Amino acid sequence: MQAASTSYFSDFATALRYWRGRRGLSQLRLSVDADISQRHLSFLETGRAQPGRDLVLKLGMVLDIPLRQRNAMLLAAGFAPAYRERSLSDPDMDAVKRALDFMLAQAAPYPALVVDRLWNLVMFNEPAARMMRHFLDLAPDAPIPRDGSINVLKLTLDPAGLRPFLVNWEAVGADLLQWVQREAMGDGPASESTRLLDELMALPGIAEAARQPNLDRLALPFLPMTLRKDGLELNLFTTITTLGTPHDVTVHELRLESFFPADAQSRAWFDAALNRSG
């Protein structure tokens, strides 16, 4: 079991005050939802009382705190982490890995990829690899690492990555930054999500783009990504899938992003690529 980070909070009382404030709950409301007295909750928040392990876990569930941060709260209260953090290569993760492989295969002929909580690439299907190789000028058989060394958000918004081919990168960038900002707020202070947000904001032009209102966002029910290179234009929208009822930090944080064509021309390109490979 990997230890949770202790960098978020110095003590349990600080953590509890933070998460209650983040969820916008009064002490009375939280005490009712957690089935404890408001007086005891007040003592917990001032450090006059210390929680038991079961109460820390209960408060974590009531406040809908991410599993990684529940481990951090347990450590702050003097307890061992409750939730394991396994790698995808762990034998215990075989069923999860098979499920992800199945979903990636079913997404074909359209791209799909699996990322961790910081949007580092860990799995992908062949259409996703084909699309990346095309826009990044890679050889048809060029290997693409699955070890998390590629950050999908940085790859998308970096001028040295996909951004030169992303026609509406300002609008896409603004939406992606909002997504990461929400995650950073949910992860707590000093989190890795906050550092990722800072790194994205430091990319050339991103901060300026994020401040510009996108007046065309209501034109469609979703914001498409428009990729253009060498006469090819792909208009795509994405969906995000997460795994239900997770009891492992890694499982809780994995997400599968699927790309779908937003028009007939884009759909035809993926269909034709599948036929050629078949």
Side-chain angles (χ1 to χ4, degrees):
M1 179 186 300
Q2 298 182 18
S5 170
T6 58
S7 62
Y8 297 107
F9 305 101
S10 59
D11 54 67
F12 176 79
T14 302
L16 181 56
R17 291 195 306 271
Y18 173 86
W19 285 110
R20 181 176 65 80
R22 179 59 62 195
R23 298 302 184 238
L25 299 179
S26 66
Q27 281 191 348
L28 177 59
R29 173 63 185 275
L30 180 56
S31 66
V32 170
D33 290 349
D35 195 25
I36 62 175
S37 72
Q38 185 177 354
R39 178 184 176 87
H40 186 44
L41 180 60
S42 176
F43 282 6
L44 290 173
E45 289 196 353
T46 59
R48 294 177 62 185
Q50 293 299 313
R53 183 175 183 274
D54 288 346
L55 181 54
V56 176
L57 292 172
K58 186 174 186 179
L59 289 168
M61 288 187 288
V62 172
L63 290 168
D64 192 26
I65 299 172
L67 299 190
R68 182 178 297 276
Q69 281 67 50
R70 292 186 204 179
N71 278 346
M73 288 185 72
L74 284 163
L75 285 170
F79 301 105
Y83 301 98
R84 291 187 60 183
E85 182 178 357
R86 303 168 176 86
S87 71
L88 278 174
S89 60
D90 191 300
D92 289 344
M93 297 284 276
D94 283 349
V96 172
K97 180 74 163 44
R98 284 196 299 271
L100 292 172
D101 282 333
F102 177 81
M103 288 188 283
L104 289 171
Q106 293 301 303
Y110 307 129
L113 45 87
V114 177
V115 296
D116 64 17
R117 65 192 181 99
L118 297 175
W119 294 86
N120 298 315
L121 184 64
V122 295
M123 297 175 67
F124 50 86
N125 63 7
E126 185 54 34
R130 187 182 303 120
M131 185 173 69
M132 284 189 281
R133 291 181 181 118
H134 176 83
F135 284 98
L136 294 175
D137 286 326
L138 301 177
D141 58 348
I144 298 175
R146 304 170 186 262
D147 58 2
S149 59
I150 294 178
N151 184 275
V152 173
L153 298 188
K154 293 179 184 177
L155 179 68
T156 301
L157 300 179
D158 195 322
L162 290 174
R163 193 167 100 180
F165 312 108
L166 187 57
V167 176
N168 58 336
W169 71 265
E170 295 96 338
V172 171
D175 275 18
L176 292 178
L177 288 172
Q178 288 182 14
W179 184 290
V180 179
Q181 188 174 39
R182 288 194 299 269
E183 293 187 337
M185 292 175 65
D187 276 355
S191 68
E192 291 179 285
S193 295
T194 301
R195 291 195 289 274
L196 174 60
L197 179 62
D198 292 340
E199 292 175 12
L200 293 173
M201 290 293 287
L203 291 173
I206 293 297
E208 293 78 5
R211 289 194 291 266
Q212 299 299 319
N214 182 2
L215 302 180
D216 295 327
R217 288 185 182 181
L218 297 180
L220 291 171
F222 51 81
L223 175 67
M225 295 176 56
T226 301
L227 291 163
R228 184 184 299 154
K229 181 186 177 187
D230 299 335
L232 170 67
E233 180 172 304
L234 298 179
N235 291 293
L236 310 170
F237 67 95
T238 67
T239 64
I240 302 293
T241 302
T242 58
L243 284 79
T245 60
H247 281 255
D248 177 276
V249 173
T250 299
V251 174
H252 182 249
E253 295 172 343
L254 287 174
R255 67 201 74 181
L256 185 146
E257 183 172 19
S258 301
F259 296 78
F260 295 96
D263 56 33
Q265 174 182 306
S266 302
R267 184 169 61 251
W269 186 81
F270 288 110
D271 290 342
L274 178 67
N275 292 333
R276 286 195 302 271
S277 64

